[in-house]
Amino acid sequence: MEVWPAIDLRGGKCVRLRQGDYEQETVFDDDPVGVARQFAAAGAKRLHVVDLDGAREGTSVNLPAVQDIVANVDMQVELGGGVRDEQSILELLGFGLHRLVIGTSAIKRPDWFQEIVRKFPDRLVLGIDARDGRVATDGWLETSDTPAVELAQRFNDEPVAAIVYTDIATDGMMSGPNITAMAEMQNAVKLPVVASGGVTSIDDVRALHQAGLAGCIIGRALYEGAIDLSEAVQVAGD
């Protein structure tokens, strides 16, 4: 199972939100490159970066910080937040990002997403953020009527790199992941599913691994010292 430590960017700083609430923000570090280097030193081969400002604005906002990370660490970096058109995909992949997470546009413009995935095979990740099993969009500000599993299955035969599945109820809450929902999603599709939200302990990492998930994203637990990243990488067999 792949381990993806997370850096959430807002105003160029590493922050975490509780359940995606922009009013419940904790700033953990003002040096994203330094944080990325620490993750690399702990043995992580991959890095999950979210442009929180971009998710809300619909365009990449924290690009300078993202470029600094890509230029200074030897990791596969994926970026989510505000990636909503072909031009931005070309530019972002062009400066070295390994893959891009697309969420809002996939549900609002599924035909476009199908087309763009075929243009960039295995470089685009379907980001599904769910509240009570229903897909949320626009930086989690809106909740649709579309079941998360239904959206995932629509693209099951497309060259999607992976699905990042976030359970909003557990995200940033340090309460443990929704193992049942994550396993249900992985069992419903043949695409690799990366679990996001609530990974708080090494036991959580182990449980997701045993449930058959292809990967997990770890955020707040790393910043608060609840999980040792090098141990998580080892437990996951990454």
Side-chain angles (χ1 to χ4, degrees):
M1 184 175 73
E2 299 175 353
V3 172
W4 293 80
I7 291 179
D8 289 4
L9 294 170
R10 193 172 181 208
K13 299 178 180 179
C14 295
V15 308
R16 293 298 291 172
L17 307 182
R18 291 169 62 88
Q19 298 181 313
D21 186 349
Y22 286 74
E23 300 303 316
Q24 298 189 64
E25 174 190 273
T26 302
V27 177
F28 283 105
D29 204 300
D30 59 6
D31 180 15
V33 172
V35 173
R37 283 177 171 147
Q38 290 174 24
F39 290 160
K45 304 168 191 169
R46 305 167 184 85
L47 181 64
H48 177 78
V49 179
V50 179
D51 184 345
L52 291 172
D53 298 302
R56 194 152 67 166
E57 300 297 326
T59 184
S60 297
V61 175
N62 287 285
L63 207 49
V66 176
Q67 289 174 313
D68 281 348
I69 291 170
V70 172
N72 286 284
V73 294
D74 184 19
M75 304 172 81
Q76 292 182 356
V77 182
E78 70 177 12
L79 174 69
V83 184
R84 296 180 191 171
D85 59 68
E86 185 172 352
Q87 185 59 36
S88 63
I89 291 170
L90 282 166
E91 291 174 358
L92 292 167
L93 291 178
F95 73 71
L97 282 163
H98 179 63
R99 59 193 201 183
L100 304 173
V101 183
I102 299 178
T104 295
S105 291
I107 183 170
K108 293 191 171 182
R109 301 157 59 203
D111 292 340
W112 171 83
F113 182 70
Q114 182 181 55
E115 178 184 330
I116 207 71
V117 164
R118 292 175 181 179
K119 280 189 178 181
F120 300 94
D122 302 315
R123 301 299 298 277
L124 303 181
V125 175
L126 174 60
I128 301 181
D129 305 326
R131 184 181 281 113
D132 298 323
R134 303 280 171 171
V135 177
T137 62
D138 299 284
W140 299 356
L141 300 176
E142 305 290 336
T143 304
S144 74
D145 293 326
T146 304
V149 169
E150 183 180 298
L151 176 64
Q153 289 176 331
R154 173 164 188 164
F155 302 109
N156 201 26
D157 294 320
E158 301 298 333
V160 178
I163 294 171
V164 168
Y165 186 36
T166 303
D167 180 63
I168 294 173
T170 59
D171 189 73
M173 297 301 289
M174 298 290 286
S175 59
N178 188 336
I179 302 286
T180 302
M182 297 299 155
E184 179 185 345
M185 177 62 80
Q186 183 63 88
N187 291 333
V189 296
K190 59 188 179 185
L191 296 168
V193 176
V194 178
S196 174
V199 180
T200 305
S201 68
I202 288 296
D203 285 341
D204 292 337
V205 176
R206 189 174 288 112
L208 288 167
H209 187 19
Q210 291 172 347
L213 274 297
C216 72
I217 292 170
I218 311 174
R220 181 180 287 269
L222 295 176
Y223 295 98
E224 296 191 351
I227 292 180
D228 177 83
L229 181 55
S230 58
E231 186 179 0
V233 169
Q234 188 174 11
V235 165
D238 192 352

